[in-house]
Amino acid sequence: MIEGLSSQPKSLPPKYFYDSKGSQLFDQICRLPEYYLTRTETAILERVGSAISQITGPCEIAELGSGSATKTRLLLDAYEAADYPLRYIPVDVSGSALTESSKLLLQGYPTLSIYGLVSTYETALKALPPKSLPARMIAFIGSTIGNLRPDECGDLLARISGTLDPGDYFLLGLDLQKEISVLESAYNDSQGVTAAFNLNMLSHLNQRFEGDFKLNNFAHVAQYNKQDNQIEMYLSSLEAQTAWLNVLGLTVEFEEGDRILSEISRKFSLDEIKKTLSAHQLSVVQAFTDEKQWFGLLLCQRRS
Ligand code: AVJ
């Protein structure tokens, strides 16, 4: 990670958003009026969950970045309604989010079996338990894929595809390109929750690495980059300052206006992502979207 703080421009991996406070703030973001992503994807899942279950048949769900697993319930509901066995393999870097969501799911679905992995995606894909139903679906929803640069995205898709058996499924949820004002409002909400979420990354680093970032000395910035079709979130230094991360023995110097890139959130075109998927042996079986075409949910299948 920490090369990112010593390089110019400075950057940090978005997984550092998600300590327990960060996971809570993200859930709050999902309910913001400006943050259309979760609401739109939820509506799609409500509408097409049973279609997905009909296509896949009995199928276990391994979810990368499961978080609170609220949307996952819609898939579980569909598989439950079809009388299929329920098996769920959540993967998340936040242990607290994983434990809490699993507890709630087990209460709600008496027949559900869960095998959770507190882990990064790369490690988890190597550590998945043996398949115990006729098919497996790797779910990567919520547009988490938008956090990955094209090279990282290619790497992860290659790993996912390599993990799946031919005929297995990949469910990808992704945010689509749209009017810039809509995008920028979603990451600059009027209640300042996104700002708190962004700044919380510094407080997470302070705890994790005995750091001394002063949160008041940084401002949240989110803007759309038209060339790269992505929202970029920064932590912008309000003054010249130095921070120290004791565990890493790392000093980080800032000039006034110096920024740390804390997240990219890419916005996709369906044609482009279909090509990328196909390059990794993943064929789109069905592409679901909303009326406005704001969000895409792609059910893919691993080719042989
Ligand atoms: C969880 C990566 C999908 O990019 O929209 C929300 C994270 N950042 N608000 C996104 C996020 C700021 C979110 N993802």
Side-chain angles (χ1 to χ4, degrees):
M1 97 160 203
I2 292 291
E3 310 111 69
L5 280 181
S6 331
S7 49
Q8 217 36 262
K10 296 179 177 61
S11 65
L12 282 165
K15 67 178 175 198
Y16 286 105
F17 285 129
Y18 302 98
D19 63 353
S20 100
K21 175 81 191 173
S23 297
Q24 275 169 22
L25 284 165
F26 180 66
D27 282 345
Q28 240 175 291
I29 289 176
C30 293
R31 295 191 294 267
L32 292 169
E34 297 95 335
Y35 196 75
Y36 61 86
L37 288 81
T38 314
R39 209 169 296 117
T40 310
E41 188 178 39
T42 302
I44 299 172
L45 273 166
E46 276 168 356
R47 185 163 50 80
V48 308
S50 79
I52 291 174
S53 71
Q54 291 319 300
I55 295 171
T56 67
C59 181
E60 58 186 36
I61 303 169
E63 181 173 10
L64 304 179
S66 50
S68 65
T70 311
K71 284 169 294 182
T72 318
R73 287 172 171 265
L74 300 168
L75 284 173
L76 293 174
D77 288 343
Y79 285 100
E80 187 180 52
D83 256 330
Y84 295 161
L86 299 183
R87 177 154 168 87
Y88 181 45
I89 305 160
V91 175
D92 206 277
V93 286
S94 167
S96 60
L98 194 125
T99 327
E100 272 153 46
S101 62
S102 296
K103 237 189 261 168
L104 290 172
L105 287 174
L106 290 171
Q107 282 166 19
Y109 301 86
T111 64
L112 176 63
S113 94
I114 297 186
Y115 185 104
L117 290 160
V118 177
S119 159
T120 60
Y121 307 145
E122 298 75 42
T123 313
L125 287 170
K126 291 185 207 140
L128 292 178
K131 200 157 83 177
S132 65
L133 290 181
R136 172 177 279 168
M137 171 198 287
I138 295 185
F140 195 33
I141 60 175
S143 205
T144 310
I145 192 172
N147 277 172
L148 306 179
R149 293 188 312 263
D151 60 315
E152 298 170 318
C153 180
D155 287 352
L156 184 65
L157 290 176
R159 277 179 225 265
I160 289 172
S161 181
T163 307
L164 293 172
D165 295 331
D168 275 349
Y169 295 93
F170 176 51
L171 185 68
L172 178 63
L174 76 185
D175 200 16
L176 302 178
Q177 291 164 9
K178 59 183 65 63
E179 211 182 309
I180 295 178
S181 60
V182 176
L183 292 168
E184 289 193 334
S185 308
Y187 295 84
N188 288 288
D189 67 276
S190 62
Q191 296 170 54
V193 184
T194 310
F197 172 75
N198 198 5
L199 287 160
N200 179 66
M201 186 187 275
L202 296 178
S203 123
H204 182 198
L205 296 183
N206 283 347
Q207 283 163 41
R208 191 152 174 158
F209 302 109
E210 295 173 20
D212 65 357
F213 284 107
K214 290 177 194 65
L215 272 62
N216 289 333
N217 286 356
F218 291 87
H220 162 75
V221 174
Q223 58 201 28
Y224 193 65
N225 174 335
K226 283 185 228 168
Q227 277 70 49
D228 296 332
N229 294 304
Q230 61 193 20
I231 287 283
E232 296 173 352
M233 287 210 326
Y234 295 93
L235 290 156
S236 176
S237 179
L238 294 171
E239 53 187 64
Q241 57 182 321
T242 302
W244 165 245
L245 292 164
N246 193 33
V247 169
L248 304 169
L250 181 70
T251 307
V252 194
E253 313 233 33
F254 297 89
E255 320 232 342
E256 186 183 335
D258 245 1
R259 309 196 291 186
I260 307 172
L261 177 65
S262 54
E263 177 173 60
I264 61 168
S265 186
R266 292 169 60 208
K267 308 302 166 189
F268 296 86
S269 90
L270 285 175
D271 284 342
E272 157 209 312
I273 192 69
K274 283 183 191 171
K275 281 184 206 141
T276 311
L277 289 163
S278 183
H280 292 93
Q281 273 68 255
L282 296 164
S283 307
V284 177
V285 181
Q286 204 155 342
F288 304 100
T289 181
D290 54 290
E291 329 68 79
K292 292 182 184 153
Q293 301 237 49
W294 275 10
F295 202 93
L297 186 70
L298 307 186
L299 180 62
C300 313
Q301 196 169 24
R302 167 75 154 82
R303 283 198 295 274
S304 35

